Amino acid sequence: MDAVSLSTLLAAAAMAGWVDAVVGGGGLLLLPALLVAAPGLPVATALGTNKLAAIFGTATAAATYARRTKVDWRVAGPAAGLAVFSAGVGAALAGAVPASAYRPVVLVVLVSVAVFVLLRPRLGVVAAPQRRTPVRVAVVIGVAGVAIALYDGLIGPGTGTFLVLAFTALVGADFVHGSAMAKVVNAGTNLGALVVFGLTGHVWWLLGAAMAVCNIAGAVLGARMALRRGSGFVRVVLLVVVLALVAKLGHDQWVAR
């Protein structure tokens, strides 16, 4: 890999860390950058190397949030525990499901998310603690710790965004606290997937370590900015990331064929 490609990849890792810390979706930047910078790299190895960088960024962001705001550990803790196992299962199945099978489904979900957030301007801007019922807590733990974590191991990009929306829509967290919980669970999904990818030889360790340093720097900056600017800022970034994901997947589905 030449110096220009490496520099571009490290810059993408830093930006991905920032995006992940604010609202998730950093894989949208880092995975394509990896595949472009290293032509011929197997998709599973790109996913595994991305997880090595991402786990340091998400763990750093989670620690930053935990120091500066209250994390609902009764929700985030069990979800993160389940996420380690579920993401590992997803990683073990990575490559078995063709991209053409999941892209249409994810596109529909993302478009629905964008419409939902646009039509509910107060969602996540102000907390709605009345939604935090025992049933909803159990549902969000299952959704975050099983369904979304499985998706992260299989595919990845957009996981943090889905987690933030799950915590805001299902248990009434505001976007800042939802993002804080999402980082804890996302660290679990990255760990579970990384273990499986590492055991199967699908991690480029040296490159991943260099990317991790840049990812950490971006994560610290992103988490501090989200905490300082509040839920309104996170909502705007959320919409931008969702629309970018829709554009990327739409391009892959219909243009890049």
Side-chain angles (χ1 to χ4, degrees):
M1 184 181 297
D2 58 46
V4 173
S5 296
L6 180 59
S7 299
T8 302
L9 195 52
L10 294 178
M15 181 58 71
W18 186 91
V19 172
D20 266 337
V22 177
V23 77
L28 172 70
L29 296 170
L30 200 47
L31 273 175
L34 262 170
L35 294 171
V36 169
L41 186 70
V43 173
T45 304
L47 286 168
T49 305
N50 174 58
K51 292 302 177 193
L52 176 58
I55 190 171
F56 285 96
T58 51
T60 300
T64 301
Y65 278 110
R67 285 196 303 267
R68 295 170 177 248
T69 191
K70 184 178 180 181
V71 176
D72 191 341
W73 290 103
R74 288 176 294 179
V75 176
L82 284 172
V84 175
F85 174 78
S86 301
V89 172
L93 298 174
V97 180
S100 58
Y102 69 77
R103 281 195 198 115
V105 175
V106 177
L107 271 169
V108 170
V109 172
L110 285 170
V111 170
S112 301
V113 164
V115 172
F116 182 68
V117 174
L118 285 169
L119 292 180
R120 300 188 64 179
R122 302 300 296 169
L123 176 71
V125 176
V126 178
Q130 69 275 11
R131 292 184 192 164
R132 196 189 183 288
T133 65
V135 171
R136 283 176 173 264
V137 167
V139 169
V140 82
I141 288 173
V143 169
V146 179
I148 298 177
L150 184 66
Y151 166 84
D152 191 29
L154 266 173
I155 304 163
T159 295
T161 306
F162 292 141
L163 287 169
V164 173
L165 284 170
F167 291 127
T168 53
L170 292 175
V171 290
D174 61 47
F175 278 129
V176 169
H177 290 87
S179 191
M181 289 189 285
K183 295 298 127 336
V184 174
V185 179
N186 210 174
T189 67
N190 286 331
L191 175 60
L194 178 61
V195 168
V196 173
F197 285 127
L199 290 174
T200 53
H202 286 296
V203 178
W204 196 346
W205 294 100
L206 187 59
L207 177 61
M211 290 162 49
V213 174
C214 298
N215 202 260
I216 288 170
V220 171
L221 180 62
R224 289 179 177 177
M225 190 175 293
L227 288 163
R228 186 171 64 251
R229 298 197 176 186
S231 294
F233 168 73
V234 177
R235 182 179 186 273
V236 172
V237 176
L238 172 70
L239 284 170
V240 171
V241 170
V242 168
L243 293 174
L245 280 166
V246 169
K248 173 65 170 61
L249 289 173
H251 176 273
D252 292 345
Q253 179 68 21
W254 292 294
V255 179
R257 285 182 167 184

